[in-house]
Amino acid sequence: MTLAIVSALPDELAALQARLDVDHASTLAGRTLHSGRLAGHEVILVLSGVGKVAAATTAALLLDRFDVRALLFTGVAGGLGTGVAVGDVVIGRQFLQHDMDASPLFPRWEVPMTGRSRFDADAAWSDRLVASAHQVLASEHPALASFGITAPRVHQGLVISGDRFVSSAAECARLQAELPDALAVEMEGAALAQVAHDFGRPCAVLRTISDRADDAAHVDFPRFLRMVAAEYARDIVLAALTA
Ligand code: ADE
């Protein structure tokens, strides 16, 4: 069985990919799948592209075509929760699509016909990622100072997803008011979790906070992805695989 590791953007996966032994590339529905070994584990690394449809398609292909034991998603997110700052890491325990609204036919946020608005992450994988994130964030990271990050923290809880990059203080405030337990907003996690639920397979999501989802939403996004988020993803996933 293999572990599938998915990111939306190339810069989010690059550092992990550089550690892949025996990189065998194949193509499926326009996606390049890199198969090989990471820390002795059989893995497939793949870029989903951005957004819920891209993530759901990727997850469904991986789970249907390969003997995937778990789906891990790594990337960046906007911080929503109090104290969730740029440079922090969020492990999603539950996922919700903030732009799902079939009301009045179904309650707001509920995925019609499923009876639920929240989908769970796998507890064991998430525990492992939390422990590894604590370990990695406790060690020195030279790039942090240039982003003004001094004491990064690990959070776990609700991550919300939608097909929109949230970059206005007004939308950020609306999401915070409507979903006060949401820690972070991104564009794929809830789609991945719904598909994993349909297939009865475990999934886990690890996000580095790149911005506060407000008017200042990160100017230096590409540099942050390469210098902080990609390196966290590499170090945290490798630590989780060797734990
Ligand atoms: N990914 C990183 N930052 C984000 C934001 N502000 N909104 C949605 N997805 C994101």
Side-chain angles (χ1 to χ4, degrees):
M1 287 185 97
T2 189
L3 181 67
I5 304 175
V6 187
S7 291
L9 298 168
D11 281 340
E12 291 173 315
L13 202 59
L16 254 183
Q17 200 182 324
R19 293 296 181 87
L20 192 65
D21 294 327
V22 196
D23 186 344
H24 170 75
S26 57
T27 306
L28 192 55
R31 288 145 175 85
T32 305
L33 280 63
H34 295 272
S35 314
R37 296 182 80 77
L38 263 185
H41 295 257
E42 203 180 303
V43 296
I44 297 173
L45 303 188
V46 61
L47 294 177
S48 59
V50 174
K52 292 186 297 169
V53 173
T57 304
T58 307
L61 283 170
L62 287 166
L63 293 172
D64 188 54
R65 302 286 179 93
F66 302 93
D67 199 8
V68 168
R69 65 185 163 112
L71 286 176
L72 300 187
F73 199 102
T74 75
V76 290
L80 289 179
T82 311
V84 180
V86 171
D88 288 0
V89 164
V90 173
I91 315 294
R93 291 287 184 171
Q94 285 199 311
F95 306 92
L96 170 147
Q97 297 178 42
H98 66 78
D99 54 358
M100 171 61 76
D101 187 358
S103 60
L105 302 181
F106 296 90
R108 187 160 181 211
W109 300 305
E110 186 171 303
V111 179
M113 325 299 284
T114 66
R116 55 200 306 163
S117 57
R118 295 180 183 216
F119 290 82
D120 296 327
D122 179 69
W125 272 106
S126 303
D127 288 348
R128 245 196 253 189
L129 290 174
V130 168
S132 304
H134 278 294
Q135 196 182 311
V136 169
L137 265 57
S139 56
E140 283 287 309
H141 199 287
L144 297 183
S146 69
F147 292 95
I149 301 163
T150 49
R153 297 168 61 201
V154 181
H155 310 265
Q156 42 185 321
L158 179 66
V159 169
I160 61 175
S161 311
D163 285 317
R164 204 156 52 237
F165 189 91
V166 179
S167 59
S168 80
E171 184 170 13
C172 179
R174 184 180 59 76
L175 290 171
Q176 287 167 327
E178 290 176 348
L179 294 160
D181 60 333
L183 297 177
V185 60
E186 35 86 306
M187 301 176 71
E188 295 86 18
L192 190 92
Q194 185 180 332
V195 174
H197 175 264
D198 287 350
F199 278 81
R201 293 287 175 83
C203 80
V205 175
L206 159 75
R207 294 284 188 176
T208 301
I209 300 302
S210 57
D211 57 273
R212 277 291 301 176
D214 56 13
D215 300 314
H218 230 279
V219 215
D220 220 349
F221 199 70
R223 196 169 81 90
F224 183 85
L225 285 191
R226 276 195 308 275
M227 296 187 69
V228 180
E231 301 204 356
Y232 274 181
R234 176 195 63 205
D235 296 346
I236 295 169
V237 170
L238 286 177
L241 291 181
T242 46

